Amino acid sequence: MEERRPAIVAVDDEPVVLAAVARDLRRGFGERYRILRAGSGAEALELLGELKKRGDAVALLIADQRMPGMEGTEYLLEARRSYPEAKRVLLTAYADTDAAIAAINEVALDYYLLKPWDPPEEQLYPVIEDLLTGWEAGSTMAGGGLRVIGHRFSSETHDLRDFLARNRVPASWMDIEMDPEARQLITIAGVDEERLPVVFLEDGGVLEQPTVLELAERIGVANQPAADHYDLVIVGGGPAGLAAAVYGASEGLRTVMVEREAPGGQAGQSSRIENYLGFPAGVSGSELARRATDQARRLGAELLSINDAVALRVEGSGRIVELTGGAELSANTVLVASGVSYRMMEAPGFAELTGAGVYYGAAMTEARACEKQHVFVIGGANSAGQAAVYFAKFAGQVTVLVRGDSLAKSMSHYLIEQITELENIEVRTGSEAVAAEGEDGRLARLRIRSGGIESSEDADACFIFIGAAPRTDWLEGVLARDERGFILAGAAAREHGWPLAREPLPLETSVPGVFVAGDVRSRSIKRVASAVGEGSMAVSLIHEYLASA
Ligand SMILES: Cc1cc2nc3c(=O)[nH]c(=O)nc-3n(C[C@H](O)[C@H](O)[C@H](O)COP(=O)(O)OP(=O)(O)OC[C@H]3O[C@@H](n4cnc5c(N)ncnc54)[C@H](O)[C@@H]3O)c2cc1C
């Protein structure tokens, strides 16, 4: 129906330019989107207010920078309050490029478009299409498909929602305590409230208290290997594994990638990666993961999600990876790209309340529910800084607890600047959470020690980023590791049981034909770009290995 289509809102004070933008947008996107226009920032904000009241979706905001009264950046900043997920584009003249680049941080700009944008087929449509695809991926995920009904502060419900969001399965979520329709639905389906969470499938099926694996199998996310033997088995679907899948498949290797949770790895959980080359306005981790996964699949890599590698065996020239559930993958070569996992808080209360107000990582599924709430972020590194900036968009107050005496030692300068500018973020250095206290099965308070004094503070949610460690126990006795469990490669591996006369290749482990890339490698640089670099480099080395084997 006409009025339900999502909107694109264009703003310009010059009627001729506004008419031209609207005309081109209508020609490119008019079938899927309503193109709405306004002659000033104030008029557009009024329009957004009306759309919001009607519950209409807005996919994209496009505004000229030079407008009297309210500049484009000022308007986009205001507009972000009502439509934080809408993509934001600034129209600028060449002379205003500096202002546009500055606005990338200020208003979390997605793109700046130089005027004139002729021909639109080259300058306008590809950019807008790309942004709309990203917006659609987020909005379909939140809007349609499966329905999950449960209690917000139940770890089982959180795990199901997190799994669906990270695997990009379109699903909507209904809180039994807040949504009368949810209660009606479970009554009609005859589901006892004691049996929550429940998932209503698109085929009419109803799953009561499913595990993540049961749900994954039922909706076809967990699948079985298609072949008996591969050239390359990749363990881990973070940036390193995905890059290897893209290069492996595109260079003709029969490639399969096994991922325990969801493609994207740690990077998939980042709210905004700002330093990855080629994305001047930053890119969310889930968007990067979506692009990389699509790319790997398109080039012919096989992706097995919700599969955990539990053992590695060497049989002659074959390398065998065992999966949970007993399946085995046989291959000529293996790449271990299993990254690192969050370290857990050991203080009392945190384990019991995980998923019920206490979360590891940015847990994007919880962001909207934090509206007007007081959330705590624990940690002082970049991941904590990104999360604080992200949650500040939704929460009333964000308090960052940092053990050290300054952020400067552990966080990048650009993030410290962003945090300083946001009024609803408070950074408390020299502070640590020593206990989490619950009420009615959910987090209620944190006990915080600051300067030797302990106090209790009300907390609605707490997101933890206190470092990470490799989980490589399954490789014990097979691959040489350093004292912290990171895998040795190249010259370092040669000292630890390397069996051949030739030198190991640079990313080769102590077992010939088994390679390692990314964060799990001993002495690696913990960055998306270096993981991607190593993943792609590993494929060249694998070719070299195969050629000489
Ligand atoms: C919140 C956050 C924000 C970040 N922001 C930035 C940033 O802005 N810029 C930047 O450069 N870096 C950033 N980083 C760091 C960056 O994300 C990592 O360096 C990068 O993801 C490492 O990639 P990887 O592929 O080596 O490992 P990971 O990303 O850790 O991926 C490893 C994958 O392997 C899977 N796995 C593990 N064991 C197994 C197994 N046995 N079987 C099957 N699968 C397994 C895991 O589930 C995971 O998906 C951030 C990290 C975090 C946590």
Side-chain angles (χ1 to χ4, degrees), residues 35 37 52 96 109 237 252 257 322 338 346 367 374 395 406 473 505 540-541:
I35 314 298
R37 359 179 194 171
K52 186 86 190 164
D96 292 332
L109 197 64
M257 188 186 87
E322 295 174 24
S338 54
E346 282 172 12
H374 187 181
S406 131
D473 299 351
L505 294 164
S540 295
L541 298 168

Side-chain angles (χ1 to χ4, degrees), residues 442-465:
R442 55 168 289 194
L443 176 72
R445 281 172 305 280
L446 287 180
R447 276 201 77 70
I448 297 167
R449 189 186 298 138
S450 255
I453 298 167
E454 267 188 34
S455 61
S456 211
E457 280 190 47
D458 290 348
D460 295 302
C462 164
F463 299 91
I464 301 167
F465 302 83

Side-chain angles (χ1 to χ4, degrees), residues 166 235-241 258-276 307-310 337-342 361-362 382-384 386 414 465 471 474 517-520 525-531:
R166 290 185 59 199
V235 178
V258 188
E259 166 53 48
R260 172 191 284 155
E261 292 166 4
Q266 297 166 72
Q269 301 195 31
S270 163
S271 46
R272 193 156 163 233
I273 299 165
E274 303 207 35
N275 49 10
Y276 188 52
N307 268 295
D308 210 338
V310 291
S338 54
V340 292
S341 307
Y342 288 115
N382 281 354
S383 48
Q386 278 179 11
Y414 77 90
F465 302 83
R471 276 205 240 146
W474 61 286
D519 280 14
V520 70
I525 308 291
K526 310 288 184 280
R527 286 276 185 273
V528 176
S530 42

Side-chain angles (χ1 to χ4, degrees), residues 10 44 71 120 127 130-131 149 208 214 216 252 254 271 292 320 331-332 387 396 414 436 493 519 523 532:
E71 287 194 330
V127 171
D130 200 40
L131 292 174
I149 298 178
E208 294 178 30
E214 282 161 358
R254 274 166 303 163
S271 46
I320 314 293
N332 298 327
Y414 77 90
D519 280 14
R523 310 202 60 195
V532 167

Side-chain angles (χ1 to χ4, degrees), residues 184-191 200 206 208:
Q184 274 174 11
L185 274 171
I186 63 162
T187 310
I188 293 166
V191 176
F200 289 85
V206 180
E208 294 178 30

Side-chain angles (χ1 to χ4, degrees), residues 10 41 74 152 188 228 246 249 253 256 259 289 364 397 486 518 532:
E74 203 185 329
R152 181 183 159 207
I188 293 166
D228 294 335
V246 165
L253 298 178
V256 62
E259 166 53 48
M364 312 282 182
Q397 174 71 32
F486 291 96
V532 167

